[in-house]
Amino acid sequence: METKGHQVNVHHIDESKPKELPLADLYVFGSPTRFGGPLGSMRRFIKKVSLPSGTKYAIFATHGDAVPDKKTGQMPTEEELDRWRKTIPILDEILREKGLVKVADKIFLVSGEKMKGSLQDGWQGKVEAFAARILELA
């Protein structure tokens, strides 16, 4: 977004107060996923966020890539993946109840073999596309 001439400030939730976020035209929230949902600290932060109704936001989450079931060897269906990947829907619900307006969302996949996997190859291009989409819709 900076390469397109936009000012960007990055704030970690551990270093920010949710009721004292600086004013911005758009907020981008992101969270890793634990057991299908957002980190508890991120959920608590979002619940405490105090922004004017109508404020625009985008949201992203990291989720483990699909892996075969250890017993059957079958890959999960898209429907099953959607049921397990609840980070964005959970945070969206909280933000919408506050009157915020979503402009875009994106899931970034990590290797599914361990709890703290690496982002999959090509993630940089996906981030660039997500940023372009945000700018287009915001």
Side-chain angles (χ1 to χ4, degrees):
M1 294 175 120
E2 283 181 330
T3 62
K4 302 288 185 194
H6 298 273
Q7 181 180 352
V8 175
N9 296 303
V10 178
H11 303 275
H12 191 282
I13 62 171
D14 290 344
E15 301 163 357
S16 300
K17 295 182 181 180
K19 295 187 184 289
E20 298 176 16
L21 293 178
L23 291 179
D25 295 328
L26 172 85
Y27 295 84
V28 180
F29 298 104
S31 178
T33 298
R34 296 292 181 267
F35 303 107
L39 294 178
S41 57
M42 184 61 173
R43 186 186 313 224
R44 287 186 296 277
F45 183 88
I46 293 293
K47 284 183 177 181
K48 293 178 183 176
V49 160
S50 179
L51 295 169
S53 183
T55 296
K56 294 179 183 178
Y57 74 95
I59 192 162
F60 69 90
T62 58
H63 283 277
D65 195 5
V67 294
D69 183 279
K70 290 181 182 180
K71 293 180 183 177
T72 66
Q74 291 185 337
M75 292 296 286
T77 65
E78 285 301 315
E79 184 178 279
E80 290 170 323
L81 292 172
D82 287 344
R83 281 197 312 264
W84 299 331
R85 294 178 174 165
K86 293 297 186 186
T87 298
I88 291 174
I90 288 169
L91 297 178
D92 268 345
E93 182 178 350
I94 297 166
L95 293 166
R96 278 194 318 268
E97 287 175 358
K98 294 174 175 289
L100 277 64
V101 178
K102 181 171 72 172
V103 298
D105 64 35
K106 180 72 176 163
I107 292 174
F108 295 99
L109 297 176
V110 298
S111 60
E113 296 300 320
K114 23 183 191 175
M115 285 293 278
K116 292 186 178 183
S118 301
L119 287 168
Q120 290 185 338
D121 290 342
W123 66 268
Q124 296 96 332
K126 293 176 183 176
V127 169
E128 289 173 9
F130 180 51
R133 181 168 163 78
I134 292 169
L135 293 174
E136 176 185 308
L137 298 173

Short mmCIF file of all heavy atoms in Angstrom, two decimals, residues 87-129:
data_model
loop_
_atom_site.label_atom_id
_atom_site.label_comp_id
_atom_site.label_asym_id
_atom_site.label_seq_id
_atom_site.Cartn_x
_atom_site.Cartn_y
_atom_site.Cartn_z
N THR A 87 -11.98 -17.82 11.89
CA THR A 87 -11.35 -16.59 12.36
C THR A 87 -12.00 -15.35 11.76
O THR A 87 -12.43 -14.45 12.49
CB THR A 87 -9.84 -16.60 12.06
OG1 THR A 87 -9.26 -17.69 12.77
CG2 THR A 87 -9.17 -15.30 12.49
N ILE A 88 -12.10 -15.29 10.44
CA ILE A 88 -12.68 -14.10 9.80
C ILE A 88 -14.15 -13.95 10.16
O ILE A 88 -14.57 -12.85 10.57
CB ILE A 88 -12.42 -14.11 8.28
CG1 ILE A 88 -10.92 -13.89 8.02
CG2 ILE A 88 -13.27 -13.05 7.58
CD1 ILE A 88 -10.50 -14.02 6.57
N PRO A 89 -14.99 -14.98 10.07
CA PRO A 89 -16.39 -14.80 10.46
C PRO A 89 -16.58 -14.33 11.91
O PRO A 89 -17.44 -13.48 12.18
CB PRO A 89 -17.02 -16.18 10.23
CG PRO A 89 -16.16 -16.83 9.21
CD PRO A 89 -14.78 -16.32 9.47
N ILE A 90 -15.79 -14.85 12.82
CA ILE A 90 -15.93 -14.45 14.23
C ILE A 90 -15.57 -12.97 14.40
O ILE A 90 -16.32 -12.20 15.02
CB ILE A 90 -15.04 -15.33 15.14
CG1 ILE A 90 -15.65 -16.73 15.25
CG2 ILE A 90 -14.88 -14.70 16.53
CD1 ILE A 90 -14.73 -17.76 15.90
N LEU A 91 -14.44 -12.56 13.85
CA LEU A 91 -14.03 -11.15 13.99
C LEU A 91 -14.95 -10.22 13.21
O LEU A 91 -15.26 -9.12 13.67
CB LEU A 91 -12.57 -10.99 13.57
CG LEU A 91 -11.55 -11.77 14.42
CD1 LEU A 91 -10.14 -11.57 13.88
CD2 LEU A 91 -11.63 -11.38 15.89
N ASP A 92 -15.42 -10.66 12.03
CA ASP A 92 -16.38 -9.88 11.25
C ASP A 92 -17.64 -9.58 12.05
O ASP A 92 -18.14 -8.46 12.04
CB ASP A 92 -16.81 -10.65 9.99
CG ASP A 92 -15.96 -10.34 8.79
OD1 ASP A 92 -15.22 -9.34 8.79
OD2 ASP A 92 -16.07 -11.12 7.82
N GLU A 93 -18.16 -10.59 12.70
CA GLU A 93 -19.40 -10.41 13.46
C GLU A 93 -19.22 -9.33 14.53
O GLU A 93 -20.08 -8.46 14.70
CB GLU A 93 -19.83 -11.72 14.10
CG GLU A 93 -21.13 -11.60 14.87
CD GLU A 93 -21.58 -12.92 15.47
OE1 GLU A 93 -21.02 -13.98 15.16
OE2 GLU A 93 -22.52 -12.86 16.28
N ILE A 94 -18.11 -9.37 15.24
CA ILE A 94 -17.85 -8.38 16.29
C ILE A 94 -17.75 -6.99 15.69
O ILE A 94 -18.34 -6.03 16.20
CB ILE A 94 -16.57 -8.75 17.06
CG1 ILE A 94 -16.74 -10.09 17.78
CG2 ILE A 94 -16.21 -7.64 18.06
CD1 ILE A 94 -15.43 -10.68 18.29
N LEU A 95 -17.00 -6.86 14.60
CA LEU A 95 -16.80 -5.55 13.99
C LEU A 95 -18.08 -5.00 13.36
O LEU A 95 -18.38 -3.81 13.46
CB LEU A 95 -15.67 -5.62 12.96
CG LEU A 95 -14.28 -5.88 13.57
CD1 LEU A 95 -13.28 -6.27 12.50
CD2 LEU A 95 -13.80 -4.66 14.35
N ARG A 96 -18.87 -5.87 12.71
CA ARG A 96 -20.14 -5.43 12.12
C ARG A 96 -21.11 -4.94 13.19
O ARG A 96 -21.83 -3.97 13.00
CB ARG A 96 -20.78 -6.56 11.32
CG ARG A 96 -20.24 -6.70 9.93
CD ARG A 96 -21.11 -7.60 9.05
NE ARG A 96 -21.60 -8.79 9.71
CZ ARG A 96 -20.99 -9.98 9.71
NH1 ARG A 96 -19.87 -10.13 9.09
NH2 ARG A 96 -21.53 -11.01 10.33
N GLU A 97 -21.12 -5.61 14.35
CA GLU A 97 -21.99 -5.18 15.45
C GLU A 97 -21.62 -3.78 15.93
O GLU A 97 -22.45 -3.08 16.50
CB GLU A 97 -21.93 -6.17 16.60
CG GLU A 97 -22.66 -7.47 16.31
CD GLU A 97 -22.50 -8.52 17.40
OE1 GLU A 97 -21.79 -8.25 18.40
OE2 GLU A 97 -23.08 -9.61 17.26
N LYS A 98 -20.38 -3.39 15.72
CA LYS A 98 -19.93 -2.04 16.10
C LYS A 98 -20.21 -1.02 15.01
O LYS A 98 -19.87 0.15 15.15
CB LYS A 98 -18.42 -2.07 16.39
CG LYS A 98 -18.03 -2.91 17.59
CD LYS A 98 -16.52 -2.99 17.71
CE LYS A 98 -16.11 -3.71 18.96
NZ LYS A 98 -16.37 -2.93 20.17
N GLY A 99 -20.78 -1.47 13.89
CA GLY A 99 -21.12 -0.56 12.80
C GLY A 99 -19.99 -0.35 11.80
O GLY A 99 -20.08 0.53 10.95
N LEU A 100 -18.93 -1.15 11.87
CA LEU A 100 -17.84 -1.03 10.92
C LEU A 100 -18.21 -1.70 9.61
O LEU A 100 -19.08 -2.58 9.57
CB LEU A 100 -16.55 -1.62 11.50
CG LEU A 100 -15.77 -0.67 12.42
CD1 LEU A 100 -16.52 -0.30 13.67
CD2 LEU A 100 -14.43 -1.27 12.78
N VAL A 101 -17.56 -1.30 8.52
CA VAL A 101 -17.90 -1.77 7.18
C VAL A 101 -16.70 -2.47 6.56
O VAL A 101 -15.66 -1.86 6.35
CB VAL A 101 -18.33 -0.58 6.29
CG1 VAL A 101 -18.64 -1.04 4.88
CG2 VAL A 101 -19.51 0.16 6.91
N LYS A 102 -16.88 -3.75 6.23
CA LYS A 102 -15.79 -4.52 5.64
C LYS A 102 -15.68 -4.24 4.15
O LYS A 102 -16.68 -4.23 3.44
CB LYS A 102 -16.00 -6.01 5.86
CG LYS A 102 -14.87 -6.86 5.28
CD LYS A 102 -14.93 -8.31 5.68
CE LYS A 102 -16.04 -9.03 4.99
NZ LYS A 102 -16.01 -10.49 5.20
N VAL A 103 -14.43 -4.04 3.68
CA VAL A 103 -14.20 -3.84 2.25
C VAL A 103 -13.55 -5.07 1.61
O VAL A 103 -13.68 -5.26 0.40
CB VAL A 103 -13.36 -2.59 1.97
CG1 VAL A 103 -14.09 -1.34 2.44
CG2 VAL A 103 -11.98 -2.67 2.57
N ALA A 104 -12.84 -5.90 2.38
CA ALA A 104 -12.19 -7.08 1.82
C ALA A 104 -11.75 -8.01 2.92
O ALA A 104 -11.58 -7.61 4.07
CB ALA A 104 -10.98 -6.66 0.98
N ASP A 105 -11.57 -9.29 2.55
CA ASP A 105 -10.97 -10.26 3.47
C ASP A 105 -10.14 -11.25 2.68
O ASP A 105 -10.28 -11.37 1.46
CB ASP A 105 -12.02 -10.96 4.33
CG ASP A 105 -12.99 -11.82 3.55
OD1 ASP A 105 -12.61 -12.44 2.54
OD2 ASP A 105 -14.16 -11.90 3.95
N LYS A 106 -9.26 -11.94 3.37
CA LYS A 106 -8.38 -12.89 2.70
C LYS A 106 -7.84 -13.90 3.70
O LYS A 106 -7.51 -13.55 4.83
CB LYS A 106 -7.19 -12.15 2.06
CG LYS A 106 -6.21 -13.02 1.33
CD LYS A 106 -6.78 -13.54 0.04
CE LYS A 106 -5.73 -14.33 -0.73
NZ LYS A 106 -6.33 -15.15 -1.75
N ILE A 107 -7.78 -15.16 3.28
CA ILE A 107 -7.13 -16.21 4.05
C ILE A 107 -5.78 -16.48 3.42
O ILE A 107 -5.68 -16.64 2.20
CB ILE A 107 -7.97 -17.50 4.06
CG1 ILE A 107 -9.27 -17.30 4.85
CG2 ILE A 107 -7.17 -18.67 4.61
CD1 ILE A 107 -10.22 -18.47 4.78
N PHE A 108 -4.74 -16.52 4.24
CA PHE A 108 -3.42 -16.90 3.79
C PHE A 108 -3.11 -18.26 4.41
O PHE A 108 -3.27 -18.44 5.62
CB PHE A 108 -2.37 -15.86 4.21
CG PHE A 108 -2.58 -14.54 3.54
CD1 PHE A 108 -3.22 -13.51 4.20
CD2 PHE A 108 -2.16 -14.33 2.24
CE1 PHE A 108 -3.43 -12.29 3.58
CE2 PHE A 108 -2.37 -13.11 1.60
CZ PHE A 108 -3.00 -12.09 2.28
N LEU A 109 -2.70 -19.19 3.58
CA LEU A 109 -2.48 -20.55 4.05
C LEU A 109 -1.04 -20.78 4.50
O LEU A 109 -0.10 -20.23 3.91
CB LEU A 109 -2.83 -21.56 2.95
CG LEU A 109 -4.29 -21.55 2.52
CD1 LEU A 109 -4.50 -22.52 1.36
CD2 LEU A 109 -5.21 -21.90 3.68
N VAL A 110 -0.92 -21.58 5.54
CA VAL A 110 0.39 -21.99 6.04
C VAL A 110 0.45 -23.51 5.91
O VAL A 110 -0.57 -24.19 5.78
CB VAL A 110 0.63 -21.56 7.51
CG1 VAL A 110 0.59 -20.05 7.63
CG2 VAL A 110 -0.39 -22.18 8.44
N SER A 111 1.68 -24.04 5.96
CA SER A 111 1.81 -25.49 5.87
C SER A 111 0.99 -26.12 6.97
O SER A 111 1.01 -25.67 8.11
CB SER A 111 3.28 -25.90 5.98
OG SER A 111 3.82 -25.48 7.22
N GLY A 112 0.24 -27.16 6.64
CA GLY A 112 -0.71 -27.73 7.59
C GLY A 112 -0.16 -28.80 8.49
O GLY A 112 -0.90 -29.36 9.28
N GLU A 113 1.11 -29.10 8.42
CA GLU A 113 1.66 -30.22 9.18
C GLU A 113 1.94 -29.90 10.64
O GLU A 113 2.03 -30.79 11.46
CB GLU A 113 2.94 -30.72 8.52
CG GLU A 113 2.71 -31.30 7.14
CD GLU A 113 1.75 -32.49 7.13
OE1 GLU A 113 1.84 -33.33 8.04
OE2 GLU A 113 0.92 -32.56 6.22
N LYS A 114 2.12 -28.63 11.01
CA LYS A 114 2.41 -28.29 12.40
C LYS A 114 1.64 -27.04 12.80
O LYS A 114 1.13 -26.32 11.96
CB LYS A 114 3.91 -28.08 12.64
CG LYS A 114 4.72 -27.72 11.46
CD LYS A 114 6.19 -27.62 11.77
CE LYS A 114 6.84 -26.99 10.55
NZ LYS A 114 8.18 -26.70 10.66
N MET A 115 1.58 -26.80 14.11
CA MET A 115 0.80 -25.67 14.62
C MET A 115 1.31 -24.33 14.11
O MET A 115 0.55 -23.45 13.81
CB MET A 115 0.82 -25.67 16.15
CG MET A 115 -0.07 -26.71 16.78
SD MET A 115 -1.80 -26.39 16.46
CE MET A 115 -2.13 -25.19 17.73
N LYS A 116 2.62 -24.17 14.04
CA LYS A 116 3.19 -22.91 13.58
C LYS A 116 3.88 -23.14 12.25
O LYS A 116 5.10 -23.24 12.17
CB LYS A 116 4.17 -22.35 14.61
CG LYS A 116 3.49 -21.90 15.88
CD LYS A 116 4.46 -21.23 16.80
CE LYS A 116 3.75 -20.75 18.04
NZ LYS A 116 4.61 -20.02 18.94
N GLY A 117 3.09 -23.25 11.20
CA GLY A 117 3.64 -23.51 9.87
C GLY A 117 4.16 -22.25 9.22
O GLY A 117 3.99 -21.14 9.72
N SER A 118 4.79 -22.44 8.08
CA SER A 118 5.30 -21.33 7.29
C SER A 118 4.28 -20.95 6.24
O SER A 118 3.53 -21.81 5.74
CB SER A 118 6.60 -21.74 6.59
OG SER A 118 7.56 -22.13 7.52
N LEU A 119 4.26 -19.67 5.88
CA LEU A 119 3.38 -19.25 4.79
C LEU A 119 3.76 -20.00 3.52
O LEU A 119 4.95 -20.26 3.28
CB LEU A 119 3.49 -17.74 4.56
CG LEU A 119 2.85 -16.86 5.63
CD1 LEU A 119 3.29 -15.42 5.46
CD2 LEU A 119 1.34 -16.97 5.56
N GLN A 120 2.78 -20.35 2.73
CA GLN A 120 3.04 -21.10 1.51
C GLN A 120 3.75 -20.23 0.49
O GLN A 120 3.60 -18.99 0.48
CB GLN A 120 1.74 -21.62 0.92
CG GLN A 120 1.11 -22.70 1.74
CD GLN A 120 -0.12 -23.28 1.07
OE1 GLN A 120 -0.74 -22.68 0.23
NE2 GLN A 120 -0.46 -24.49 1.48
N ASP A 121 4.51 -20.89 -0.39
CA ASP A 121 5.19 -20.18 -1.46
C ASP A 121 4.19 -19.33 -2.23
O ASP A 121 3.04 -19.71 -2.42
CB ASP A 121 5.86 -21.17 -2.43
CG ASP A 121 7.06 -21.87 -1.81
OD1 ASP A 121 7.58 -21.37 -0.80
OD2 ASP A 121 7.46 -22.91 -2.35
N GLY A 122 4.65 -18.18 -2.67
CA GLY A 122 3.79 -17.27 -3.42
C GLY A 122 2.97 -16.34 -2.56
O GLY A 122 2.15 -15.58 -3.07
N TRP A 123 3.20 -16.35 -1.24
CA TRP A 123 2.38 -15.52 -0.35
C TRP A 123 2.54 -14.03 -0.65
O TRP A 123 1.59 -13.27 -0.51
CB TRP A 123 2.68 -15.83 1.11
CG TRP A 123 4.05 -15.45 1.59
CD1 TRP A 123 5.16 -16.26 1.61
CD2 TRP A 123 4.47 -14.19 2.10
NE1 TRP A 123 6.24 -15.57 2.10
CE2 TRP A 123 5.85 -14.29 2.40
CE3 TRP A 123 3.83 -12.98 2.33
CZ2 TRP A 123 6.58 -13.23 2.92
CZ3 TRP A 123 4.56 -11.92 2.85
CH2 TRP A 123 5.92 -12.06 3.14
N GLN A 124 3.75 -13.62 -1.08
CA GLN A 124 3.96 -12.20 -1.33
C GLN A 124 3.02 -11.68 -2.42
O GLN A 124 2.43 -10.60 -2.29
CB GLN A 124 5.41 -11.91 -1.74
CG GLN A 124 6.41 -12.21 -0.66
CD GLN A 124 7.04 -13.59 -0.79
OE1 GLN A 124 6.44 -14.52 -1.31
NE2 GLN A 124 8.26 -13.73 -0.29
N GLY A 125 2.87 -12.46 -3.49
CA GLY A 125 1.95 -12.06 -4.56
C GLY A 125 0.52 -12.00 -4.09
O GLY A 125 -0.25 -11.12 -4.50
N LYS A 126 0.14 -12.92 -3.20
CA LYS A 126 -1.22 -12.91 -2.66
C LYS A 126 -1.45 -11.70 -1.77
O LYS A 126 -2.53 -11.11 -1.78
CB LYS A 126 -1.49 -14.21 -1.91
CG LYS A 126 -1.52 -15.41 -2.83
CD LYS A 126 -1.68 -16.70 -2.10
CE LYS A 126 -1.62 -17.86 -3.09
NZ LYS A 126 -1.67 -19.15 -2.47
N VAL A 127 -0.43 -11.31 -1.02
CA VAL A 127 -0.54 -10.11 -0.18
C VAL A 127 -0.68 -8.87 -1.07
O VAL A 127 -1.50 -7.99 -0.81
CB VAL A 127 0.65 -9.98 0.78
CG1 VAL A 127 0.68 -8.62 1.45
CG2 VAL A 127 0.62 -11.09 1.82
N GLU A 128 0.12 -8.81 -2.13
CA GLU A 128 0.03 -7.67 -3.05
C GLU A 128 -1.36 -7.58 -3.68
O GLU A 128 -1.93 -6.50 -3.80
CB GLU A 128 1.10 -7.78 -4.12
CG GLU A 128 2.50 -7.52 -3.60
CD GLU A 128 3.59 -7.80 -4.62
OE1 GLU A 128 3.28 -8.05 -5.81
OE2 GLU A 128 4.77 -7.76 -4.22
N ALA A 129 -1.92 -8.73 -4.07
CA ALA A 129 -3.26 -8.75 -4.65
C ALA A 129 -4.31 -8.32 -3.63
O ALA A 129 -5.25 -7.59 -3.97
CB ALA A 129 -3.58 -10.14 -5.20
#
